[in-house]
Amino acid sequence: MGRNRFILVLMLVHLVMLTGPLCAGVRVLNDQGQDVPSGAWTLEQGNAADGWIIRLTDLWNPWGNTWFRVQVDPGESIASLDIAVDGPPAGSPVTVTVGEAGFPVSRVDEIKQTGSAEVILHQLNVVESLGRVEVQAINFIDVGGHVHGPIITTDSASESRGIRSLDVAGDVLGDVLVPDGTIRLIKVLGDVGTASSPVRIEVGHGLWTVDVRGDVWADIDLCSSGHAGFLYRFEADEFHGSLRVDRLDRPAGETLPPMMMLDGWLSGLWTFNGPLQDPEASVHLPPQGLRGQVVINAQAAADADWTTPVMIAAGEGMPSITLNNPVYEQIPDVLGGGSVGLVPYRLHATGSSPPSGTILPVGEDDLAVTLRFYGPVELAWGAPLTFERRPLDSLEPYQSVSASDFCVEMAEDDSRSIRLSAAGPWGGFQPGWTYRVQPTSSLLCAMTSPVPVSNEIKYIIELAASECEADVDESGEVDIVDVLLVLALWGQGETPAGEAADVDGDGIVGVDDLLVIIGQWGDCSN
């Protein structure tokens, strides 16, 4: 009996020497399910309660694929997995899996690559939560709880690498950074980011499919590192934050058209660097779901077009509102308050206040006009607008009006709008005239590289003639003050004050104006 026990001990010692560390709770296997060679990995400080600390160290199969299948006992966690394997950057890959079926990992706090070998994290299955992951490339991540991140891939040699699938049953609360690669699938049953802590998602070449059942609070950049990444399909509830993408496109072999769909509000900014010219692609929003801004052709390519429909539901039994024209007529309140704009932005004639073409009745004193554009604008040096006018109901050519008669400023509550008001007591919009307002090159699309807005659309407004045009000082009464003003401005007509005293509108202050004043003497209400 003693001899048999001695032989058994020798066999166990021999097994340990051949196969590497024998550690309760942790196993590292190759792709055939056998223990990797001795010395290929170490178990450093750590324990089952706080999480194991594991270090992979040896390229044990330099002429092929070096596999490390890391397993822990059910319910145990990994505090740190260090892939410290050195080797060539390509040709002898290191493939790592963590938490295979039957050996679930409760929690992974960190996976990092510190060695020089080519590394692929082939599969990572976590029951509860996932912390930081930084490796060269990732195939599949499946998390039953939250992802605290960040998740980072560092491969810059292949645009097809990055993350094949990130499948999360909880929330994504950390950044996802694939600056030189592709993400094929992000599927999240919870939210991406939070209102107080939005996440950043960077993808260099393409984001194929995003399926988020909750809200998105994120800044998503598909053109990081100077690339021109595309987006294929995107679905979520509400979107807050920003999205920058070169275009909507479909990957090779995919038959469904590109699509973006929100069940809730678009409250952020979507920017497409290029045009949207695929009529089979589509963007779908709920009723009044456009609360933010969609920018098309942000790189300001000449003759860019927009034909991809942006469809906004209009309620039960009503046809959807379809926007696919840079000068659509629907007013912002119908859409949700936001806009879709093709760069260079046009003037939104029907979205201005009053709308272009309005005829205002008598009694509109100190009229202020708000011009709204299809995207954010900013004022540059110089006059941002030209002003012209002609007598009401006249077909005469328009005559220039000095821009100094008007005060032009950004609207306080809307970056898409500018406000026009009188610059002084004799300036502004005057009764009895039709005005035409047109942008100049000093009014810019507010972007990283601003360009002038389009002057294609002009704003028109008509002001009915005053029933008391002899009331030069607009006091409500024709009296001696009006006579004195006419005398003081005698012979003038090309200044704001002179135009106000030119009662009969013949271009000069003279005798005829005095005669009109005498004819209308008294209270204007009479």
Side-chain angles (χ1 to χ4, degrees):
M1 186 68 174
R3 186 173 183 274
N4 291 339
R5 184 177 299 168
F6 177 73
I7 294 174
L8 179 60
V9 171
L10 287 178
M11 291 176 63
L12 289 174
V13 171
H14 183 65
L15 181 63
V16 169
M17 293 177 63
L18 287 177
T19 62
L22 183 63
C23 303
V26 181
R27 292 160 298 282
V28 181
L29 312 176
N30 62 20
D31 58 325
Q32 302 299 317
Q34 302 170 340
D35 291 317
V36 299
S38 174
W41 69 283
T42 60
L43 189 66
E44 301 186 358
Q45 295 178 353
N47 53 60
D50 299 327
W52 298 105
I53 299 177
I54 306 167
R55 193 166 187 262
L56 312 180
T57 57
D58 185 52
L59 188 71
W60 59 265
N61 186 16
W63 310 112
N65 194 337
T66 298
W67 277 80
F68 291 96
R69 294 167 56 190
V70 179
Q71 299 178 355
V72 299
D73 286 343
E76 295 183 353
S77 301
I78 295 177
S80 176
L81 174 61
D82 182 6
I83 307 172
V85 181
D86 290 327
S92 300
V94 174
T95 303
V96 179
T97 69
V98 179
E100 299 178 19
F103 297 92
V105 180
S106 178
R107 185 192 77 251
V108 175
D109 296 335
E110 179 185 52
I111 297 177
K112 59 185 178 181
Q113 176 183 347
T114 59
S116 60
E118 176 187 8
V119 172
I120 301 171
L121 180 59
H122 175 63
Q123 187 171 355
L124 171 60
N125 294 327
V126 182
V127 175
E128 295 180 4
S129 67
L130 175 63
R132 181 184 185 90
V133 177
E134 184 171 3
V135 296
Q136 194 169 350
I138 298 170
N139 283 344
F140 305 98
I141 294 179
D142 194 331
V143 181
H146 300 323
V147 172
H148 297 277
I151 297 177
I152 305 170
T153 66
T154 60
D155 192 331
S156 59
S158 173
E159 65 180 59
S160 63
R161 284 189 173 180
I163 300 175
R164 291 182 62 90
S165 174
L166 175 60
D167 194 336
V168 182
D171 301 332
V172 174
L173 303 173
D175 297 344
V176 180
L177 308 177
V178 186
D180 295 297
T182 297
I183 299 179
R184 297 196 179 191
L185 174 65
I186 296 178
K187 184 175 182 180
V188 183
L189 297 184
D191 298 329
V192 174
T194 65
S196 60
S197 184
V199 303
R200 180 166 181 82
I201 299 176
E202 289 185 8
V203 189
H205 293 283
L207 178 54
W208 288 21
T209 301
V210 177
D211 183 359
V212 180
R213 305 300 172 86
D215 299 334
V216 174
W217 301 81
D219 294 313
I220 304 175
D221 188 358
L222 275 61
C223 300
S224 65
S225 303
H227 299 304
F230 70 91
L231 177 64
Y232 176 39
R233 296 179 76 85
F234 187 101
E235 295 184 58
D237 191 5
E238 294 184 9
F239 185 95
H240 307 264
S242 65
L243 166 67
R244 183 170 73 119
V245 57
D246 184 71
R247 65 197 184 279
L248 289 180
D249 205 349
R250 70 188 82 192
E254 297 292 337
T255 57
L256 293 176
M259 183 192 72
M260 302 180 71
M261 177 180 288
L262 296 183
D263 294 327
W265 298 328
L266 167 55
S267 298
L269 170 65
W270 287 356
T271 301
F272 297 89
N273 281 350
L276 289 182
Q277 296 177 319
D278 184 354
E280 295 185 355
S282 59
V283 178
H284 300 265
L285 299 175
Q288 293 195 316
L290 181 57
R291 302 201 169 194
Q293 177 70 45
V294 179
V295 175
I296 303 171
N297 188 39
Q299 292 184 335
D303 301 322
D305 200 3
W306 164 27
T307 56
T308 297
V310 177
M311 306 179 71
I312 302 175
E316 186 175 355
M318 300 291 291
S320 296
I321 299 170
T322 300
L323 310 178
N324 59 353
N325 187 305
V327 288
Y328 60 82
E329 294 186 354
Q330 288 82 358
I331 63 175
D333 287 348
V334 172
L335 308 178
S339 293
V340 182
L342 176 71
V343 176
Y345 304 133
R346 280 74 168 170
L347 173 69
H348 192 169
T350 56
S352 298
S353 179
S356 181
T358 298
I359 302 176
L360 294 179
V362 176
E364 289 288 339
D365 296 330
D366 298 327
L367 173 66
V369 167
T370 299
L371 300 185
R372 179 172 171 127
F373 292 79
Y374 288 101
V377 297
E378 60 185 34
L379 303 176
W381 182 260
L385 302 169
T386 61
F387 297 86
E388 300 172 300
R389 74 178 186 181
R390 66 186 180 191
L392 188 67
D393 299 327
S394 170
L395 297 180
E396 298 177 10
Y398 281 94
Q399 301 295 321
S400 295
V401 179
S402 175
S404 62
D405 289 359
F406 297 87
C407 177
V408 180
E409 56 190 351
M410 293 297 304
E412 294 182 357
D413 56 350
D414 186 4
S415 61
R416 308 174 189 89
S417 299
I418 55 177
R419 187 176 184 274
L420 318 181
S421 58
W426 308 108
F429 298 98
Q430 299 295 324
W433 297 91
T434 298
Y435 285 84
R436 184 169 70 181
V437 184
Q438 184 175 3
T440 73
S441 59
S442 293
L443 183 58
L444 307 178
C445 302
M447 304 185 302
T448 303
S449 300
V451 298
V453 302
S454 170
N455 61 3
E456 173 186 339
I457 306 299
K458 302 174 180 63
Y459 179 80
I460 305 293
I461 188 170
E462 300 181 358
L463 285 81
S466 171
E467 297 178 357
C468 197
E469 60 267 31
D471 182 16
V472 179
D473 65 348
E474 298 181 351
S475 66
E477 185 175 1
V478 180
D479 54 20
I480 190 60
V481 176
D482 301 301
V483 174
L484 295 175
L485 287 172
V486 167
L487 295 175
L489 297 167
W490 197 270
Q492 298 187 29
E494 299 299 326
T495 65
E499 290 176 354
D502 181 18
V503 177
D504 66 349
D506 65 355
I508 190 168
V509 181
V511 173
D512 292 338
D513 302 304
L514 278 178
L515 294 177
V516 173
I517 289 175
I518 294 172
Q520 295 185 3
W521 196 270
D523 192 337
C524 288
S525 61
N526 297 325

